[in-house]
Amino acid sequence: MNKSLILIQCRDEVGLVALISGVLAHHHLNITAMREFVDETSNHFFARIDCVGAVPEEKLLYAALREKLPELSEVVINPNPEKRIAILVTKEYHCLADSLVRNHFNTLGAKVCCVAGNYDHLESFTKGFNVPFHHIDHQNKSKEEFEKELLDVLTPYKPDYVILAKFMRILSPEFVDRFRGRIINIHHSFLPAFIGASPYRQAFERGVKLIGATAHFVTSDLDEGPIIMQRTIPVNHTFGVAEMVKAGKEIEKAVLSRAMQLVFEDRVFINGNKTIIFE
């Protein structure tokens, strides 16, 4: 039996679920799972629908839904199930390593088309997985020059998403706009705590009892984009800086991996500076 996935965002109105169900039934599609949510503040409706049946021409189903739904509705039918991603790195390997292993065993949910770094420390490791690595040195260059070279590398790969796997460079608003809603970053804390350098030393010196990580979409406001996933783990007085760093890296990998999975499965909707996530 053919399966289809339909994503809908629109202004909320009475009867939307019945309307959508009616259109799908008319096209002989049976709903197997439907998750919906209304943001009452913005009066916006979100839905993720799994259905089975003999799929009609997508453009006909799209037109039928758009005709019935409120004006300016966004409808996506059967988004590409395997996204293409580019990963940006600096020197830390743990998030890259986790993603490359998952990519190698086809459990990432996306294809890593390339890795780019402003240092070459991870080049041989990346190439060991038969993934192209591009070293783009940032030194003695303006941000504009560096980002132009980075875009020249990324553009031919046509990535659906850009993953910042501990990429320690602040991207310009112009660069972010090129991939609006498609850059995912992993941050070493519950934002905005312990920002800047040496976050785990800051946490150690503060005597925290929880450390965590945050995966979020990148916007022009540093570390303030829509949050996709957050987790914490307990620590205690026996944890020195080295132990906190080790524990922090583990949770960073886990949070980034889960965030990517949710995004690649089209379970995440951006709603202003928040996210709607149908897990």
Side-chain angles (χ1 to χ4, degrees):
M1 186 71 71
N2 293 325
K3 296 182 179 181
S4 293
L5 173 63
I6 301 170
L7 311 174
I8 296 173
Q9 301 183 53
C10 64
R11 184 180 72 253
D12 187 40
E13 291 184 358
V14 173
L16 281 179
V17 172
L19 182 154
I20 294 166
S21 300
V23 171
L24 298 182
H26 178 75
H27 287 82
H28 308 289
L29 295 173
N30 182 44
I31 296 173
T32 57
M34 181 173 182
R35 301 289 303 277
E36 70 279 347
F37 175 77
V38 174
D39 182 343
E40 296 182 358
T41 302
S42 63
N43 194 42
H44 215 63
F45 173 88
F46 302 84
R48 183 184 189 276
I49 307 159
D50 290 294
C51 50
V52 296
V55 182
E57 286 190 43
E58 288 185 8
K59 63 181 181 181
L60 297 179
L61 178 59
Y62 177 84
L65 287 168
R66 285 298 305 273
E67 180 183 359
K68 298 289 186 179
L69 290 169
E71 190 178 7
L72 302 179
S73 299
E74 297 180 34
V75 178
V76 178
I77 300 173
N78 291 327
N80 180 13
E82 185 175 80
K83 312 298 190 286
R84 294 171 56 81
I85 67 171
I87 301 178
L88 304 187
V89 297
T90 296
K91 295 180 180 179
E92 295 187 65
Y93 66 85
H94 56 288
C95 289
L96 173 66
D98 185 69
S99 295
L100 289 180
V101 169
R102 293 173 189 274
N103 180 70
H104 179 78
F105 289 103
N106 297 314
T107 60
L108 184 63
K111 176 181 174 57
V112 179
C113 55
C114 73
V115 176
N118 57 314
Y119 292 93
D120 62 2
H121 291 55
L122 302 175
E123 182 170 5
S124 60
F125 176 77
T126 300
K127 289 184 175 178
F129 286 88
N130 295 316
V131 173
F133 184 95
H134 299 273
H135 174 216
I136 306 169
D137 193 349
H138 67 280
Q139 299 181 72
N140 301 316
K141 295 176 185 173
S142 66
K143 182 184 290 286
E144 292 76 14
E145 291 172 321
F146 172 73
E147 291 186 350
K148 181 183 184 305
E149 291 184 29
L150 185 56
L151 282 172
D152 287 344
V153 164
L154 297 183
T155 301
Y157 289 104
K158 299 180 179 179
D160 295 294
Y161 292 94
V162 176
I163 310 300
L164 308 187
K166 306 302 291 182
F167 181 65
M168 307 306 288
R169 303 287 300 172
I170 298 174
L171 297 170
S172 70
E174 292 75 20
F175 187 97
V176 172
D177 282 344
R178 290 287 295 270
F179 299 96
R180 181 178 295 274
R182 297 189 291 133
I183 304 177
I184 299 172
N185 187 33
I186 182 67
H187 195 278
H188 46 243
S189 70
F190 268 4
L191 294 173
F194 303 122
I195 61 175
S198 302
Y200 296 108
R201 177 167 293 280
Q202 294 180 58
F204 169 72
E205 292 173 349
R206 183 63 180 84
V208 302
K209 302 306 180 187
L210 289 172
I211 60 174
T214 299
H216 66 99
F217 288 108
V218 174
T219 63
S220 297
D221 297 318
L222 182 63
D223 295 333
E224 295 187 12
I227 292 171
I228 307 167
M229 176 61 56
Q230 292 182 302
R231 286 181 183 168
T232 60
I233 53 175
V235 296
N236 58 44
H237 62 276
T238 67
F239 280 65
V241 175
E243 288 77 18
M244 283 196 178
V245 169
K246 183 178 180 180
K249 288 182 177 180
E250 291 300 315
I251 197 169
E252 286 173 4
K253 290 190 299 183
V255 169
L256 179 59
S257 173
R258 180 57 176 160
M260 289 193 293
Q261 180 186 17
L262 292 168
V263 170
F264 300 157
E265 291 179 358
D266 298 293
R267 297 181 180 278
V268 180
F269 293 77
I270 296 177
N271 180 29
N273 203 44
K274 298 180 181 180
T275 55
I276 307 301
I277 300 178
F278 295 127
E279 297 194 59

